[in-house]
Amino acid sequence: MWFPGKRPHTASRKQKFFSHQINVGSEPLRKKHQNPFDAVVPHPAEAPHYHGQLNQALEYFHKRLGHSDDFFVRPFKIMGRSSALLFLSTITDNQQLEVLLRSILQHRFPSKRPRNLLHYLTDSVISNSTILYKDNLFELSEDINNGSAVLLIDGEKSALVITVKFIEHRTPDQPYIESTVRGAQVSFVENIDINIGAIRVWMATESLTIKKFKVGYRSRREVAVLYLYDVANPVVVDTILKRIESIHVDVVTQSAEIEQRISDHSWSLLPMTRVTQRIDSTIKELNQGKVLIIVDGDPNALLVPATFQDFFQTEEDYGHIFYEAMFIRYLRVISFFFALFLPALYISFVDFNPELLPKVLGIAIAKSREGVPFPATIEVMMMQVVIEILREATLRMPKQMGQTIGIVGGLVLGEAAVQAELVSNILIIVVALCAMSVFVTPSYEFSVVLRLGSWIMIIAATLFGLYGVVLAAMWGIIELGGMKSFGVSYVDPFGGEHIMDVFIDSFIIRLPVHLMRQRTSHLHPQDGTGAVDVKELPNLHPQVEKSNRQFNDWKRRRRQP
């Protein structure tokens, strides 16, 4: 039978195994400005429920989903009772649907009707691993939009939600924004379930807690919050959950939109969350008491709360000995100052305070600028714009061409600018060193901060010289001191209250791994014990000790004349 008042729709070749499919989407033209989707998510108590009236339920689903040509209703009978299977053909697995229908239609039901037909179906007929009982019609329509099939039986007070979603995803690959030499070479993908499963595999503990939300009136994007319930600060977790629940927008497409809507300082230049694609870094931060936010369709995950020092550390640091790790972190700090202050200091010393330079260096700069018709400010701004253009061109170009364009463009333009006496050769060194120092930081978001912060310093140096650079730096330090990320001071552990964390794990000091026995306290973890290591190495096996003694005796006998 066809749905009342609707014309049959010809099924595509891909869907021909359903011989009795019904398409209820070929509806006559609607009113011009009528919205078929009610953008207000109803409260569970106010949403309509399924009470066994199949025709009324089909009418409801037709109003919500019937305008789409990929919405199908497959009618059939179960033990003489009218039933219907509802699904969207474009996001469901046809093979799973075929198996589901065959298992129902070819099953030999008992002559006596079971007391609970739904329980009989789930226990003896349907073999899918994920089956839910629901009666909220709005939630059922959301499940259909997410790729599930809904089974309705006339007279039953609940419906069955059967997962038959077709999952198309790419294979986990190397992280493209956090490259590493040593460590895991696997990153998150666009599928939220695969990302959560990867974290489950890497952290097989019962304390790992997952909370899921639907964000966006129209997109209904799935957002997951992960944390260790016995480690993470419950106040921080509760704050994050409430802020995500309070997001009321039409569409959410990526984690950056969630980040900007839940951050404490939405107008700040500095990132309030740490973006990562690496699973090993995520496991490390979760164990320290941080909270992870994953958005379906985005391979970038958010770690909160974030502090200033987080953007100078990577998981790869713990794969090196602490001498090498400290050296790399010091190198990042030096590169931070080069990227932020070097062009501004060049302007200050050349245009405003050349007497502060050593005599030999001042003469060298003056010789290199002979014939240059522009002041140092115009020189720096021109070259900074050129560098930004090359950087964007390299980023947008195909991978096979991007690196070549960046190298050749930089060499050709730099050499041509010096020969044409538009800029000095010393400025080329300054700008090149600044451009390379920007990307020494392991966080792409923080590299953007350095790029924009460098322009702020250039403008300050242009207006007030060295005095302006000092004022801008002081203003930045004051802003840092007053910022908080989900209740945690942005400058911790250097704020004073948790100063001992500096000697545990910071961008200044990183202890050897066997001495890092506590979690840093500035995140206020419930469990402050990090890794309890044995004080002494275990004794050798007696057979090994015996072999060592025999070897030493043999060497001693060889030395005797």
Side-chain angles (χ1 to χ4, degrees), residues 240-252:
I240 295 171
L241 297 180
K242 288 182 178 179
R243 291 184 181 182
I244 293 178
E245 287 180 339
S246 63
I247 297 176
H248 302 294
V249 294
D250 274 356
V251 177
V252 172

Side-chain angles (χ1 to χ4, degrees), residues 375-496:
T377 300
I378 303 300
E379 278 187 280
V380 171
M381 288 187 175
M382 283 195 308
M383 293 309 301
Q384 285 288 91
V385 170
V386 170
I387 290 296
E388 292 295 335
I389 292 174
L390 286 175
R391 185 180 287 131
E392 286 298 316
T394 305
L395 183 64
R396 310 301 173 191
M397 282 279 185
K399 292 183 179 180
Q400 294 80 1
M401 301 173 56
Q403 188 174 3
T404 304
I405 291 295
I407 296 174
V408 175
L411 292 175
V412 172
L413 289 177
E415 183 67 22
V418 172
Q419 290 183 358
E421 295 184 348
L422 295 177
V423 296
S424 63
N425 49 13
I426 292 182
L427 177 62
I428 296 296
I429 299 174
V430 170
V431 173
L433 182 58
C434 175
M436 290 187 295
S437 300
V438 165
F439 293 103
V440 174
T441 176
S443 171
Y444 175 77
E445 284 71 26
F446 204 71
S447 67
V448 176
V449 173
L450 292 180
R451 291 163 59 183
L452 299 178
S454 175
W455 280 99
I456 294 176
M457 292 297 172
I458 289 173
I459 294 173
T462 302
L463 297 177
F464 304 106
L466 188 60
Y467 182 66
V469 175
V470 174
L471 286 179
M474 292 176 61
W475 170 75
I477 294 174
I478 294 173
E479 284 291 318
L480 282 176
M483 294 172 59
K484 288 188 176 182
S485 175
F486 298 90
V488 177
S489 177
Y490 202 70
V491 294
D492 275 346
F494 300 96

Side-chain angles (χ1 to χ4, degrees), residues 45 150 410 505 526 529:
V150 173
D505 187 17
Q526 300 182 63
T529 304

Side-chain angles (χ1 to χ4, degrees), residues 77-214:
K77 289 185 179 295
I78 298 179
M79 300 188 70
R81 300 167 67 176
S82 299
S83 307
L85 186 68
L86 291 70
F87 59 92
L88 294 176
S89 61
T90 52
I91 57 175
T92 52
D93 191 342
N94 290 339
Q95 294 183 355
Q96 294 188 46
L97 282 172
E98 185 176 5
V99 171
L100 174 62
L101 282 172
R102 285 179 178 175
S103 63
I104 296 176
L105 298 177
Q106 298 178 2
H107 181 74
R108 292 186 177 182
F109 289 90
S111 58
K112 184 178 180 180
R113 180 177 298 175
R115 179 176 301 178
N116 193 316
L117 182 56
L118 293 182
H119 288 175
Y120 179 82
L121 289 173
T122 56
D123 295 339
S124 305
V125 181
I126 302 175
S127 59
N128 291 63
S129 59
T130 305
I131 303 176
L132 299 176
Y133 295 87
K134 288 187 179 182
D135 60 355
N136 189 306
L137 293 181
F138 178 79
E139 293 180 357
L140 290 174
S141 66
E142 282 196 331
D143 292 326
I144 295 175
N145 281 319
N146 289 329
S148 297
V150 173
L151 176 60
L152 299 174
I153 302 177
D154 192 26
E156 295 293 333
K157 298 298 180 66
S158 298
L160 292 182
V161 180
I162 307 165
T163 301
V164 290
K165 184 177 182 179
F166 178 72
I167 300 176
E168 183 71 30
H169 62 87
R170 63 181 176 91
T171 305
D173 201 354
Q174 295 183 1
Y176 56 85
I177 63 172
E178 293 176 291
S179 58
T180 177
V181 177
R182 185 172 183 176
Q185 303 292 326
V186 62
S187 66
F188 291 121
V189 295
E190 286 77 10
N191 187 279
I192 189 172
D193 293 326
I194 293 177
N195 294 337
I196 295 176
I199 296 175
R200 283 285 191 190
V201 171
W202 283 58
M203 181 170 280
T205 173
E206 64 277 2
S207 62
L208 179 62
T209 306
I210 301 171
K211 301 292 184 182
K212 288 188 175 182
F213 303 89
K214 295 287 187 179

